[in-house]
Amino acid sequence: MPIHSEQFELKARLEMALLASEKASDLILQHYQSPDLQVDRKSDDSPVTIADRGAEEILRAEITLAFPDDSIMGEELPAVEGTNEFKWILDPIDGTKPYTQGVPLFGTLLGLEENGKLVMGVCRFPALDEVVYAIKGDGAWWKIRNQEPRRAKVSDKSKLSESVFCTTTMTRWETIGKQKAYEYLCRNSYLARGWGDCYGHMLVATGRAEVMIDPVLSPWDAAALVPILEEAGGHWIDFDGNPSIYTGNGMAVNAALKDEVLQIISQ
């Protein structure tokens, strides 16, 4: 059966993204847990390291070499305007704070838009040697070390009392006036944990958690997550229930709990 030309374009970009994220991982791990790692502060007081900048440079170089007409937007470097319908959205280290603390729950994110719609995502965890990825229409996949990829699927748990709830930091809930929602989720979930950033979202995509909420985030924090969650049978949505990465907040949730969690957030 012939492969549709659009699907061929996506598969080619997925193969490149998986290899590019491996190359970026090599650099990231060179500096990981190093006593000499210097942490700088950006204008918004968030941390950045030589690994963040170097990893994004690697990702951009690989994209430009393979697909020079694609646009690129990333966290650390200026945007590049391409000439076709594809746009990469990059976060070289999602979870720089855990990274600088020597905690392995950080990831490299590559999202791909086609005509403004997110169609591919790669989330690689360098220190764990795991990667979760998806392209639209081809399912979500989870590869652990040298094992064969397995299907990534959200859980089917429908009761909050049986579910794992994750978030990044409590203070962000206070910032947006949602402290009561946070406390409700903590009290009424089976387990509430601070497994934040992309790691928490991938716990939902692989069925190990049911809800992960980020009260404050940027587009590059979320772009890779949308296709993965959707192909895994779940949802990436903002606090209004829309699959947007541009509204400054978002959540990963399985299908069974989506409406209940949205109702809790809206109070």
Side-chain angles (χ1 to χ4, degrees):
M1 184 175 180
I3 298 176
H4 192 277
S5 59
E6 179 182 348
Q7 201 73 355
F8 178 82
E9 292 271 8
L10 293 182
K11 286 183 180 293
R13 283 169 172 79
L14 175 62
E15 290 177 9
M16 183 279 300
L18 290 171
L19 291 172
S21 61
E22 280 190 356
K23 291 183 179 181
S25 292
D26 291 340
L27 181 140
I28 290 167
L29 292 177
Q30 287 175 23
H31 300 282
Y32 179 55
Q33 296 182 333
S34 168
D36 300 321
L37 180 66
Q38 180 178 336
V39 181
D40 299 322
R41 294 285 174 176
K42 294 188 282 190
S43 59
D44 62 356
D45 202 39
S46 62
V48 64
T49 71
I50 188 174
D52 295 83
R53 299 187 183 103
E56 185 164 324
E57 287 172 355
I58 289 171
L59 297 176
R60 285 170 176 256
E62 293 295 316
I63 291 168
T64 301
L65 180 64
F67 304 102
D69 296 326
D70 292 5
S71 299
I72 305 174
M73 180 176 78
E75 181 174 10
E76 309 301 342
L77 299 170
V80 174
E81 289 298 324
T83 58
N84 64 19
E85 66 273 26
F86 292 105
K87 177 181 178 180
W88 294 88
I89 305 176
L90 311 175
D91 192 344
I93 301 180
D94 183 59
T96 299
K97 289 180 180 178
Y99 176 76
T100 60
Q101 293 296 118
V103 176
L105 308 184
F106 59 88
T108 296
L109 300 177
L110 298 90
L112 181 67
E113 284 185 344
E114 182 181 15
N115 293 317
K117 295 184 178 181
L118 287 157
V119 293
M120 192 196 82
V122 172
C123 179
R124 184 177 293 280
F125 298 100
L128 300 177
D129 197 9
E130 297 184 18
V131 62
V132 188
Y133 57 90
I135 58 175
K136 292 294 290 181
D138 199 39
W141 299 88
W142 178 22
K143 188 175 190 302
I144 304 169
R145 296 180 294 278
N146 294 322
Q147 298 175 18
E148 287 297 312
R150 64 181 76 174
R151 284 272 186 177
K153 295 181 180 179
V154 300
S155 80
D156 59 1
K157 292 179 181 177
S158 59
K159 295 181 179 179
L160 189 61
S161 60
E162 298 175 355
S163 300
V164 177
F165 159 60
C166 302
T167 193
T168 304
T169 59
M170 181 182 71
T171 53
R172 291 182 178 180
W173 293 82
E174 296 174 341
T175 301
I176 64 168
K178 294 290 184 180
Q179 181 68 15
K180 287 185 178 179
Y182 168 73
E183 292 175 356
Y184 182 93
L185 288 163
C186 287
R187 287 195 305 268
N188 291 279
S189 299
Y190 169 70
L191 188 64
R193 287 291 183 267
W195 293 320
D197 304 306
C198 59
Y199 185 73
H201 294 291
M202 291 303 96
L203 289 179
V204 177
T206 54
R208 294 174 286 170
E210 282 64 50
V211 184
M212 163 64 193
I213 302 178
D214 245 322
V216 179
L217 49 70
S218 300
W220 42 78
D221 298 320
L225 310 178
V226 178
I228 294 173
L229 265 299
E230 291 178 350
E231 289 297 308
H235 300 274
W236 164 270
I237 48 176
D238 65 14
F239 285 8
D240 294 320
N242 301 313
S244 174
I245 64 172
Y246 296 106
T247 51
N249 57 59
M251 69 180 82
V253 61
N254 74 1
L257 286 166
K258 183 190 77 166
D259 293 341
E260 181 180 354
V261 173
L262 276 173
Q263 185 176 13
I264 293 167
I265 290 293
S266 68
Q267 296 176 354

PDB file of all heavy atoms in Angstrom, residues 161-183:
ATOM      1  N   SER A 161     -10.097   9.453  42.644  1.00  0.00           N
ATOM      2  CA  SER A 161      -9.616   8.814  43.873  1.00  0.00           C
ATOM      3  C   SER A 161      -8.681   7.641  43.599  1.00  0.00           C
ATOM      4  O   SER A 161      -8.000   7.164  44.502  1.00  0.00           O
ATOM      5  CB  SER A 161     -10.800   8.326  44.717  1.00  0.00           C
ATOM      6  OG  SER A 161     -11.570   7.377  43.994  1.00  0.00           O
ATOM      7  N   GLU A 162      -8.637   7.187  42.347  1.00  0.00           N
ATOM      8  CA  GLU A 162      -7.750   6.089  41.960  1.00  0.00           C
ATOM      9  C   GLU A 162      -6.614   6.576  41.071  1.00  0.00           C
ATOM     10  O   GLU A 162      -5.835   5.762  40.555  1.00  0.00           O
ATOM     11  CB  GLU A 162      -8.549   5.010  41.229  1.00  0.00           C
ATOM     12  CG  GLU A 162      -9.646   4.364  42.078  1.00  0.00           C
ATOM     13  CD  GLU A 162     -10.491   3.379  41.294  1.00  0.00           C
ATOM     14  OE1 GLU A 162     -10.285   3.276  40.061  1.00  0.00           O
ATOM     15  OE2 GLU A 162     -11.360   2.730  41.911  1.00  0.00           O
ATOM     16  N   SER A 163      -6.490   7.876  40.914  1.00  0.00           N
ATOM     17  CA  SER A 163      -5.598   8.445  39.902  1.00  0.00           C
ATOM     18  C   SER A 163      -4.398   9.158  40.507  1.00  0.00           C
ATOM     19  O   SER A 163      -4.436   9.631  41.641  1.00  0.00           O
ATOM     20  CB  SER A 163      -6.380   9.427  39.021  1.00  0.00           C
ATOM     21  OG  SER A 163      -7.449   8.766  38.379  1.00  0.00           O
ATOM     22  N   VAL A 164      -3.343   9.257  39.700  1.00  0.00           N
ATOM     23  CA  VAL A 164      -2.133   9.986  40.069  1.00  0.00           C
ATOM     24  C   VAL A 164      -2.189  11.374  39.437  1.00  0.00           C
ATOM     25  O   VAL A 164      -2.380  11.508  38.224  1.00  0.00           O
ATOM     26  CB  VAL A 164      -0.870   9.238  39.599  1.00  0.00           C
ATOM     27  CG1 VAL A 164       0.384  10.053  39.924  1.00  0.00           C
ATOM     28  CG2 VAL A 164      -0.793   7.860  40.259  1.00  0.00           C
ATOM     29  N   PHE A 165      -2.026  12.392  40.270  1.00  0.00           N
ATOM     30  CA  PHE A 165      -2.024  13.786  39.839  1.00  0.00           C
ATOM     31  C   PHE A 165      -0.623  14.356  40.002  1.00  0.00           C
ATOM     32  O   PHE A 165      -0.020  14.253  41.065  1.00  0.00           O
ATOM     33  CB  PHE A 165      -3.025  14.585  40.677  1.00  0.00           C
ATOM     34  CG  PHE A 165      -2.777  16.071  40.688  1.00  0.00           C
ATOM     35  CD1 PHE A 165      -2.794  16.799  39.513  1.00  0.00           C
ATOM     36  CD2 PHE A 165      -2.536  16.731  41.881  1.00  0.00           C
ATOM     37  CE1 PHE A 165      -2.562  18.173  39.530  1.00  0.00           C
ATOM     38  CE2 PHE A 165      -2.304  18.093  41.909  1.00  0.00           C
ATOM     39  CZ  PHE A 165      -2.319  18.826  40.729  1.00  0.00           C
ATOM     40  N   CYS A 166      -0.116  14.950  38.937  1.00  0.00           N
ATOM     41  CA  CYS A 166       1.219  15.557  38.957  1.00  0.00           C
ATOM     42  C   CYS A 166       1.127  17.037  38.608  1.00  0.00           C
ATOM     43  O   CYS A 166       0.219  17.476  37.908  1.00  0.00           O
ATOM     44  CB  CYS A 166       2.140  14.876  37.939  1.00  0.00           C
ATOM     45  SG  CYS A 166       2.359  13.108  38.171  1.00  0.00           S
ATOM     46  N   THR A 167       2.099  17.783  39.086  1.00  0.00           N
ATOM     47  CA  THR A 167       2.210  19.188  38.718  1.00  0.00           C
ATOM     48  C   THR A 167       3.662  19.614  38.870  1.00  0.00           C
ATOM     49  O   THR A 167       4.497  18.825  39.333  1.00  0.00           O
ATOM     50  CB  THR A 167       1.277  20.071  39.551  1.00  0.00           C
ATOM     51  OG1 THR A 167       1.202  21.371  38.960  1.00  0.00           O
ATOM     52  CG2 THR A 167       1.758  20.177  40.984  1.00  0.00           C
ATOM     53  N   THR A 168       3.957  20.843  38.464  1.00  0.00           N
ATOM     54  CA  THR A 168       5.344  21.296  38.497  1.00  0.00           C
ATOM     55  C   THR A 168       5.684  21.957  39.824  1.00  0.00           C
ATOM     56  O   THR A 168       6.447  21.428  40.606  1.00  0.00           O
ATOM     57  CB  THR A 168       5.635  22.238  37.310  1.00  0.00           C
ATOM     58  OG1 THR A 168       5.303  21.554  36.099  1.00  0.00           O
ATOM     59  CG2 THR A 168       7.107  22.599  37.252  1.00  0.00           C
ATOM     60  N   THR A 169       5.070  23.110  40.106  1.00  0.00           N
ATOM     61  CA  THR A 169       5.335  23.776  41.389  1.00  0.00           C
ATOM     62  C   THR A 169       4.052  24.369  41.946  1.00  0.00           C
ATOM     63  O   THR A 169       3.209  24.872  41.207  1.00  0.00           O
ATOM     64  CB  THR A 169       6.364  24.909  41.247  1.00  0.00           C
ATOM     65  OG1 THR A 169       5.869  25.865  40.309  1.00  0.00           O
ATOM     66  CG2 THR A 169       7.708  24.389  40.785  1.00  0.00           C
ATOM     67  N   MET A 170       3.919  24.338  43.268  1.00  0.00           N
ATOM     68  CA  MET A 170       2.728  24.866  43.928  1.00  0.00           C
ATOM     69  C   MET A 170       2.596  26.372  43.730  1.00  0.00           C
ATOM     70  O   MET A 170       1.492  26.905  43.580  1.00  0.00           O
ATOM     71  CB  MET A 170       2.788  24.549  45.422  1.00  0.00           C
ATOM     72  CG  MET A 170       1.584  25.019  46.209  1.00  0.00           C
ATOM     73  SD  MET A 170       1.744  24.681  47.961  1.00  0.00           S
ATOM     74  CE  MET A 170       3.029  25.865  48.401  1.00  0.00           C
ATOM     75  N   THR A 171       3.704  27.091  43.722  1.00  0.00           N
ATOM     76  CA  THR A 171       3.643  28.551  43.649  1.00  0.00           C
ATOM     77  C   THR A 171       2.995  29.042  42.363  1.00  0.00           C
ATOM     78  O   THR A 171       2.398  30.117  42.340  1.00  0.00           O
ATOM     79  CB  THR A 171       5.052  29.162  43.773  1.00  0.00           C
ATOM     80  OG1 THR A 171       5.918  28.554  42.801  1.00  0.00           O
ATOM     81  CG2 THR A 171       5.619  28.928  45.156  1.00  0.00           C
ATOM     82  N   ARG A 172       3.094  28.273  41.295  1.00  0.00           N
ATOM     83  CA  ARG A 172       2.471  28.695  40.039  1.00  0.00           C
ATOM     84  C   ARG A 172       0.953  28.711  40.152  1.00  0.00           C
ATOM     85  O   ARG A 172       0.287  29.525  39.525  1.00  0.00           O
ATOM     86  CB  ARG A 172       2.913  27.782  38.899  1.00  0.00           C
ATOM     87  CG  ARG A 172       4.375  27.942  38.523  1.00  0.00           C
ATOM     88  CD  ARG A 172       4.755  27.064  37.359  1.00  0.00           C
ATOM     89  NE  ARG A 172       6.148  27.241  36.972  1.00  0.00           N
ATOM     90  CZ  ARG A 172       6.742  26.585  35.983  1.00  0.00           C
ATOM     91  NH1 ARG A 172       6.055  25.682  35.286  1.00  0.00           N
ATOM     92  NH2 ARG A 172       8.004  26.802  35.684  1.00  0.00           N
ATOM     93  N   TRP A 173       0.388  27.800  40.934  1.00  0.00           N
ATOM     94  CA  TRP A 173      -1.052  27.793  41.162  1.00  0.00           C
ATOM     95  C   TRP A 173      -1.475  29.057  41.902  1.00  0.00           C
ATOM     96  O   TRP A 173      -2.513  29.642  41.597  1.00  0.00           O
ATOM     97  CB  TRP A 173      -1.453  26.551  41.952  1.00  0.00           C
ATOM     98  CG  TRP A 173      -1.274  25.270  41.216  1.00  0.00           C
ATOM     99  CD1 TRP A 173      -0.118  24.561  41.065  1.00  0.00           C
ATOM    100  CD2 TRP A 173      -2.272  24.529  40.519  1.00  0.00           C
ATOM    101  NE1 TRP A 173      -0.336  23.426  40.318  1.00  0.00           N
ATOM    102  CE2 TRP A 173      -1.652  23.377  39.987  1.00  0.00           C
ATOM    103  CE3 TRP A 173      -3.645  24.724  40.306  1.00  0.00           C
ATOM    104  CZ2 TRP A 173      -2.358  22.438  39.237  1.00  0.00           C
ATOM    105  CZ3 TRP A 173      -4.354  23.780  39.575  1.00  0.00           C
ATOM    106  CH2 TRP A 173      -3.705  22.654  39.039  1.00  0.00           C
ATOM    107  N   GLU A 174      -0.687  29.467  42.874  1.00  0.00           N
ATOM    108  CA  GLU A 174      -0.975  30.698  43.606  1.00  0.00           C
ATOM    109  C   GLU A 174      -0.929  31.896  42.672  1.00  0.00           C
ATOM    110  O   GLU A 174      -1.762  32.803  42.756  1.00  0.00           O
ATOM    111  CB  GLU A 174       0.035  30.874  44.740  1.00  0.00           C
ATOM    112  CG  GLU A 174      -0.034  29.796  45.809  1.00  0.00           C
ATOM    113  CD  GLU A 174       1.080  29.910  46.835  1.00  0.00           C
ATOM    114  OE1 GLU A 174       2.097  30.570  46.540  1.00  0.00           O
ATOM    115  OE2 GLU A 174       0.922  29.343  47.929  1.00  0.00           O
ATOM    116  N   THR A 175       0.044  31.896  41.758  1.00  0.00           N
ATOM    117  CA  THR A 175       0.232  33.022  40.841  1.00  0.00           C
ATOM    118  C   THR A 175      -1.008  33.287  39.996  1.00  0.00           C
ATOM    119  O   THR A 175      -1.353  34.448  39.729  1.00  0.00           O
ATOM    120  CB  THR A 175       1.433  32.761  39.907  1.00  0.00           C
ATOM    121  OG1 THR A 175       2.599  32.582  40.701  1.00  0.00           O
ATOM    122  CG2 THR A 175       1.643  33.913  38.949  1.00  0.00           C
ATOM    123  N   ILE A 176      -1.696  32.239  39.573  1.00  0.00           N
ATOM    124  CA  ILE A 176      -2.853  32.419  38.695  1.00  0.00           C
ATOM    125  C   ILE A 176      -4.184  32.306  39.452  1.00  0.00           C
ATOM    126  O   ILE A 176      -5.250  32.244  38.826  1.00  0.00           O
ATOM    127  CB  ILE A 176      -2.826  31.407  37.537  1.00  0.00           C
ATOM    128  CG1 ILE A 176      -2.953  29.965  38.058  1.00  0.00           C
ATOM    129  CG2 ILE A 176      -1.575  31.572  36.698  1.00  0.00           C
ATOM    130  CD1 ILE A 176      -3.229  28.959  36.967  1.00  0.00           C
ATOM    131  N   GLY A 177      -4.135  32.268  40.780  1.00  0.00           N
ATOM    132  CA  GLY A 177      -5.356  32.255  41.568  1.00  0.00           C
ATOM    133  C   GLY A 177      -6.105  30.943  41.566  1.00  0.00           C
ATOM    134  O   GLY A 177      -7.336  30.914  41.707  1.00  0.00           O
ATOM    135  N   LYS A 178      -5.382  29.832  41.412  1.00  0.00           N
ATOM    136  CA  LYS A 178      -6.025  28.515  41.366  1.00  0.00           C
ATOM    137  C   LYS A 178      -5.590  27.620  42.534  1.00  0.00           C
ATOM    138  O   LYS A 178      -5.586  26.394  42.416  1.00  0.00           O
ATOM    139  CB  LYS A 178      -5.688  27.826  40.037  1.00  0.00           C
ATOM    140  CG  LYS A 178      -6.273  28.508  38.812  1.00  0.00           C
ATOM    141  CD  LYS A 178      -7.779  28.355  38.747  1.00  0.00           C
ATOM    142  CE  LYS A 178      -8.350  28.951  37.473  1.00  0.00           C
ATOM    143  NZ  LYS A 178      -9.831  28.802  37.406  1.00  0.00           N
ATOM    144  N   GLN A 179      -5.256  28.213  43.657  1.00  0.00           N
ATOM    145  CA  GLN A 179      -4.787  27.447  44.802  1.00  0.00           C
ATOM    146  C   GLN A 179      -5.841  26.451  45.291  1.00  0.00           C
ATOM    147  O   GLN A 179      -5.520  25.326  45.670  1.00  0.00           O
ATOM    148  CB  GLN A 179      -4.402  28.399  45.934  1.00  0.00           C
ATOM    149  CG  GLN A 179      -3.864  27.716  47.186  1.00  0.00           C
ATOM    150  CD  GLN A 179      -2.497  27.063  46.972  1.00  0.00           C
ATOM    151  OE1 GLN A 179      -1.827  27.354  45.989  1.00  0.00           O
ATOM    152  NE2 GLN A 179      -2.125  26.183  47.863  1.00  0.00           N
ATOM    153  N   LYS A 180      -7.104  26.854  45.272  1.00  0.00           N
ATOM    154  CA  LYS A 180      -8.169  25.957  45.751  1.00  0.00           C
ATOM    155  C   LYS A 180      -8.289  24.719  44.862  1.00  0.00           C
ATOM    156  O   LYS A 180      -8.509  23.608  45.363  1.00  0.00           O
ATOM    157  CB  LYS A 180      -9.495  26.708  45.808  1.00  0.00           C
ATOM    158  CG  LYS A 180      -9.576  27.716  46.945  1.00  0.00           C
ATOM    159  CD  LYS A 180     -10.959  28.342  47.030  1.00  0.00           C
ATOM    160  CE  LYS A 180     -11.043  29.325  48.197  1.00  0.00           C
ATOM    161  NZ  LYS A 180     -12.389  29.965  48.280  1.00  0.00           N
ATOM    162  N   ALA A 181      -8.156  24.903  43.562  1.00  0.00           N
ATOM    163  CA  ALA A 181      -8.212  23.766  42.639  1.00  0.00           C
ATOM    164  C   ALA A 181      -7.051  22.819  42.900  1.00  0.00           C
ATOM    165  O   ALA A 181      -7.225  21.586  42.897  1.00  0.00           O
ATOM    166  CB  ALA A 181      -8.195  24.253  41.191  1.00  0.00           C
ATOM    167  N   TYR A 182      -5.872  23.388  43.119  1.00  0.00           N
ATOM    168  CA  TYR A 182      -4.693  22.572  43.418  1.00  0.00           C
ATOM    169  C   TYR A 182      -4.909  21.749  44.685  1.00  0.00           C
ATOM    170  O   TYR A 182      -4.632  20.536  44.715  1.00  0.00           O
ATOM    171  CB  TYR A 182      -3.471  23.478  43.563  1.00  0.00           C
ATOM    172  CG  TYR A 182      -2.259  22.798  44.149  1.00  0.00           C
ATOM    173  CD1 TYR A 182      -1.516  21.892  43.407  1.00  0.00           C
ATOM    174  CD2 TYR A 182      -1.869  23.053  45.463  1.00  0.00           C
ATOM    175  CE1 TYR A 182      -0.410  21.255  43.949  1.00  0.00           C
ATOM    176  CE2 TYR A 182      -0.765  22.431  46.014  1.00  0.00           C
ATOM    177  CZ  TYR A 182      -0.044  21.536  45.252  1.00  0.00           C
ATOM    178  OH  TYR A 182       1.040  20.905  45.804  1.00  0.00           O
ATOM    179  N   GLU A 183      -5.392  22.391  45.725  1.00  0.00           N
ATOM    180  CA  GLU A 183      -5.606  21.688  46.993  1.00  0.00           C
ATOM    181  C   GLU A 183      -6.666  20.601  46.851  1.00  0.00           C
ATOM    182  O   GLU A 183      -6.533  19.511  47.424  1.00  0.00           O
ATOM    183  CB  GLU A 183      -6.008  22.689  48.073  1.00  0.00           C
ATOM    184  CG  GLU A 183      -4.877  23.641  48.456  1.00  0.00           C
ATOM    185  CD  GLU A 183      -5.307  24.714  49.429  1.00  0.00           C
ATOM    186  OE1 GLU A 183      -6.523  24.772  49.754  1.00  0.00           O
ATOM    187  OE2 GLU A 183      -4.439  25.506  49.853  1.00  0.00           O
TER     188      GLU A 183
END
